[in-house]
Amino acid sequence: MEMKRVKNKKDAREFAEGVINDPVLEVQWAETAFKHAETYFKLLQIVPDVATMRLTRYDDAIYTAFRELFPDLNVALLDEDVIKSKESKEAWRPFLMQWEGKVEDFNFGTLLRLDAEKEYGPENSCIVPRVQFYCVELARNREGCQYKPS
């Protein structure tokens, strides 16, 4: 595919419509996402007090802003249809964009467990932007609804 300079939204839209998913890139993304999930889950099992575990240098700001915008979101048990609904995406989008340039890979697709008390798995995972993952996991850690190994 020939690369061309994107100057405005129309050019960006046209470019995006012409992009074909590269299977090699998809496999690389899947491997990266899986490694991230695996590493995070191992941390949950070995860190004695996950409430104090730091995920970014912006943890306090991310958590506070998240709970201001979504005070009643049940992070212990998420409904994928709700968090991926059109209304939810419209609420999340501006929130997530404020972390661009601050949080590394802020919008990188990241695996999130739907039920905090269960391990990662096909029935208990969905893909969300990295900052959304941080919001939910920080809340789970601080609010005491995180996975506890038996």
Side-chain angles (χ1 to χ4, degrees):
M1 172 190 304
E2 181 181 324
M3 296 296 289
K4 69 177 188 177
R5 181 173 294 280
V6 176
K7 300 175 192 157
N8 54 45
K9 287 184 181 180
K10 181 180 178 245
D11 286 350
R13 224 178 351 267
E14 289 174 7
F15 177 77
E17 288 170 1
V19 172
I20 297 171
N21 289 342
D22 181 341
V24 173
L25 291 177
E26 288 181 3
V27 168
Q28 288 174 341
W29 169 84
E31 289 173 353
T32 301
F34 179 78
K35 286 178 186 174
H36 179 269
E38 185 178 51
T39 300
Y40 182 69
F41 200 72
K42 284 179 182 177
L43 285 172
L44 290 178
Q45 296 175 48
I46 63 171
V47 172
D49 183 9
V50 294
T52 62
M53 185 167 62
R54 305 292 294 177
L55 302 180
T56 76
R57 62 188 243 188
Y58 299 102
D59 285 5
D60 295 335
I62 290 171
Y63 174 75
T64 300
F66 163 65
R67 275 309 188 196
E68 286 174 1
L69 187 60
F70 300 100
D72 300 321
L73 182 65
N74 177 7
V75 295
L77 184 60
L78 298 169
D79 181 336
E80 184 174 9
D81 293 332
V82 171
I83 62 172
K84 297 226 174 180
S85 70
K86 182 181 178 189
E87 297 80 20
S88 181
K89 287 181 179 182
E90 288 173 0
W92 276 103
R93 189 170 292 112
F95 176 85
L96 298 172
M97 293 309 295
Q98 72 180 308
W99 302 103
E100 183 176 16
K102 295 177 184 171
V103 175
E104 185 176 348
D105 297 329
F106 82 104
N107 66 347
F108 190 81
T110 305
L111 293 172
L112 175 68
R113 292 170 301 127
L114 297 170
D115 185 338
E117 294 184 4
K118 295 180 181 175
E119 299 181 16
Y120 283 97
E123 302 300 317
N124 193 41
S125 302
C126 69
I127 300 167
V128 298
R130 178 73 48 95
V131 171
Q132 193 172 16
F133 165 86
Y134 288 145
C135 289
V136 171
E137 292 298 335
L138 286 167
R140 287 174 171 173
N141 292 347
R142 293 175 182 208
E143 296 168 15
C145 55
Q146 197 53 273
Y147 175 83
K148 294 167 185 66
S150 41

